[in-house]
Amino acid sequence: MKRVLFIDRDGTLIKEPADEQIDSFEKLEFYPKVFQYLSKITNELDFEIVMITNQDGLGTNVYPETNFWPVHNFIIKTFESEGISFKEQFIDRTFAKDNAPTRKPNTGLLTKYFSSNYDLANSFVIGDRLTDIELAKNLGSKGIFINDNTNLGTDEITVKRETLNNVIALESNDWEVIYKFLKTDVRTGSIERNTNETKIKIALNLDGTGKSNINTGLAFFDHMLDQIARHGHLDLEINVIGDLEVDEHHTIEDTAIALGEVFASTLGNKLGIERYGFSLPMDDCLAQVAIDFGGRNWLVWEAEFKREMIGKMPTEMFFHFFKSFTDGAKCNLNIKAEGSNEHHKIEAIFKAFAKAIKMAVKRDVEKMILPSTKGML
């Protein structure tokens, strides 16, 4: 299945003048960095490049074709000279008031893409208007919003934008940023694991901002899992229904297994990741966590706890949590901690664990290579 970049023209590839008509060469100004980075997108990434643009009244007295085509053809030839070819060019000529099925955000011009040949869920619409983002929503795709020329001042537009926030995958007017975003993708994954003992749902965004929504039925366990999200700068949703009437064991163990598995699947091909990664102090404690997402599971654990329980979480389950995580994630973990306060000690371990993950999953967009001499992880 082919992924597509549906790219607007005016305000996205070229600057849009105040009268919104590029009907002369004097008005033509290409967007900064567009040639360099759209060329890299074309040559390095597996997208079909498509132009889709609304040109109000094209072919009428308001906008004669003799004014449009010389400039447009020059634009296309200039991109072609830089190795950038548009597989298709879709131009709608209707006026905004007409609300024609062919006019963005409607999809009348794009019916061929609603087929098994195209992966619309992993395709993008790039444009400078909210109608472009609405088009992305109507296609079942994501939007990249170039906001230079969009007036967001009115209440109506502000409300519309808020309803489209979940469609906007990136907001930037810098083609270098757009290229790096498309090259690395946002790494998200989810898992649902149901047994006779637990029912678990987890959603993970490795490139998040530290948001979490966690409910396992064990408040202290929730608090520790929240550390992974906040200090690892990843977004994490975990919902667990476990047999707590028996004890805490199955809930903690199965959550760790599922969390490890979703990390393994979300990391994908692991291209460009740092792979390794932390030690940190917390009051009287010092915790060291070293991790390797190398494809093999192993745990070294050097931490002792004198209390049987912290909150409603047995301290014997700390080791078991990290062992189960390594099994699911197929990673190495080396954990050491010392200190006198048991709460501080385990919290320091979870925070160091989060920092280790943050370091290890970080990617270098300029060096998207596998960090292994074996050729596979």
Side-chain angles (χ1 to χ4, degrees):
M1 295 174 68
K2 194 75 173 177
R3 298 188 300 165
V4 186
L5 287 186
F6 301 97
I7 306 179
D8 182 35
R9 195 191 76 157
D10 304 353
T12 304
L13 298 170
I14 56 178
K15 292 284 188 176
E16 187 168 43
D19 64 2
E20 300 182 354
Q21 281 192 1
I22 302 176
D23 50 11
S24 68
F25 285 99
E26 289 75 18
K27 293 181 179 179
L28 178 60
E29 180 183 354
F30 288 99
Y31 223 94
K33 304 183 188 179
V34 67
F35 291 115
Q36 178 183 359
Y37 288 102
L38 188 52
S39 177
K40 290 172 77 69
I41 290 170
T42 301
N43 293 323
E44 297 176 16
L45 309 182
D46 188 27
F47 284 103
E48 188 170 294
I49 310 298
V50 171
M51 178 188 292
I52 178 164
T53 176
N54 291 338
Q55 297 294 327
D56 289 40
L58 179 60
T60 68
N61 291 334
V62 175
Y63 197 176
E65 293 199 43
T66 52
N67 294 346
F68 173 80
W69 288 110
V71 179
H72 180 76
N73 290 336
F74 177 81
I75 292 169
I76 298 301
K77 288 180 180 179
T78 305
F79 277 105
E80 288 177 348
S81 71
E82 296 294 327
I84 303 162
S85 296
F86 295 93
K87 182 72 172 180
E88 300 279 1
Q89 299 174 47
F90 296 104
I91 301 172
D92 181 75
R93 301 161 175 251
T94 59
F95 290 97
K97 60 182 176 60
D98 296 333
N99 194 30
T102 55
R103 182 183 178 84
K104 291 187 294 182
N106 299 318
T107 61
L109 290 174
L110 305 175
T111 54
K112 64 174 282 188
Y113 297 99
F114 291 96
S115 79
S116 59
N117 295 325
Y118 293 97
D119 182 5
L120 289 178
N122 290 301
S123 297
F124 295 86
V125 178
I126 307 178
D128 70 317
R129 293 178 180 272
L130 290 178
T131 49
D132 297 305
I133 307 304
E134 288 182 279
L135 174 64
K137 181 179 180 180
N138 293 339
L139 289 170
S141 303
K142 290 290 186 179
I144 296 177
F145 186 35
I146 296 178
N147 63 4
D148 266 5
N149 299 318
T150 303
N151 175 15
L152 298 175
T154 68
D155 290 341
E156 180 181 356
I157 292 176
T158 300
V159 170
K160 180 184 286 188
R161 179 177 178 172
E162 288 176 353
T163 64
L164 293 170
N165 269 345
N166 64 331
V167 184
I168 300 174
L170 175 70
E171 184 170 336
S172 176
N173 58 13
D174 188 330
W175 272 95
E176 181 179 0
V177 173
I178 294 171
Y179 158 71
K180 289 182 176 180
F181 170 81
L182 291 173
K183 187 170 183 178
T184 55
D185 291 330
V186 174
R187 295 169 294 177
T188 59
S190 62
I191 191 171
E192 187 168 343
R193 188 180 190 273
N194 295 323
T195 70
N196 291 333
E197 298 164 341
T198 57
K199 299 185 186 302
I200 298 172
K201 290 183 179 180
I202 299 178
L204 171 67
N205 178 359
L206 287 177
D207 303 295
T209 59
K211 299 176 183 177
S212 67
N213 183 10
I214 297 170
N215 183 14
T216 66
L218 298 168
F220 185 76
F221 190 34
D222 293 351
H223 180 49
M224 293 300 99
L225 294 171
D226 181 61
Q227 306 302 317
I228 298 174
R230 292 185 184 277
H231 295 281
H233 285 189
L234 50 89
D235 296 341
L236 190 58
E237 293 187 15
I238 300 177
N239 187 63
V240 183
I241 300 174
D243 56 355
L244 295 178
E245 70 279 4
V246 177
D247 70 5
E248 306 84 357
H249 188 105
H250 298 142
T251 292
I252 297 169
E253 178 184 41
D254 290 2
T255 300
I257 293 171
L259 184 62
E261 288 177 351
V262 78
F263 263 91
S265 62
T266 305
L267 278 168
N269 59 26
K270 303 180 183 177
L271 290 177
I273 68 168
E274 294 293 335
R275 180 177 167 181
Y276 305 103
F278 207 84
S279 64
L280 60 79
M282 184 173 179
D283 296 339
D284 57 294
C285 300
L286 179 65
Q288 173 184 291
V289 177
I291 197 168
D292 174 15
F293 284 107
R296 300 186 304 276
N297 55 302
W298 195 268
L299 174 65
V300 174
W301 176 263
E302 296 183 20
E304 294 183 359
F305 293 87
K306 298 174 183 178
R307 287 169 56 182
E308 180 183 355
M309 305 282 287
I310 300 180
K312 294 183 179 180
M313 189 171 178
T315 55
E316 68 177 10
M317 290 304 298
F318 298 150
F319 167 87
H320 209 63
F321 171 85
F322 289 104
K323 176 62 171 65
S324 298
F325 179 88
T326 64
D327 292 341
K330 294 181 173 61
C331 70
N332 290 178
L333 268 176
N334 189 304
I335 297 175
K336 300 178 181 179
E338 57 186 34
S340 57
N341 184 290
E342 305 293 73
H343 182 122
H344 290 168
K345 194 185 301 178
I346 190 57
E347 186 165 342
I349 288 175
F350 269 89
K351 286 179 177 177
F353 176 57
K355 289 293 188 182
I357 289 174
K358 180 184 176 183
M359 292 174 64
V361 303
K362 183 180 179 181
R363 291 177 295 184
D364 184 345
V365 71
E366 299 298 335
K367 297 177 181 177
M368 293 293 282
I369 58 176
L370 195 67
S372 172
T373 56
K374 295 184 178 186
M376 63 178 293
L377 287 177

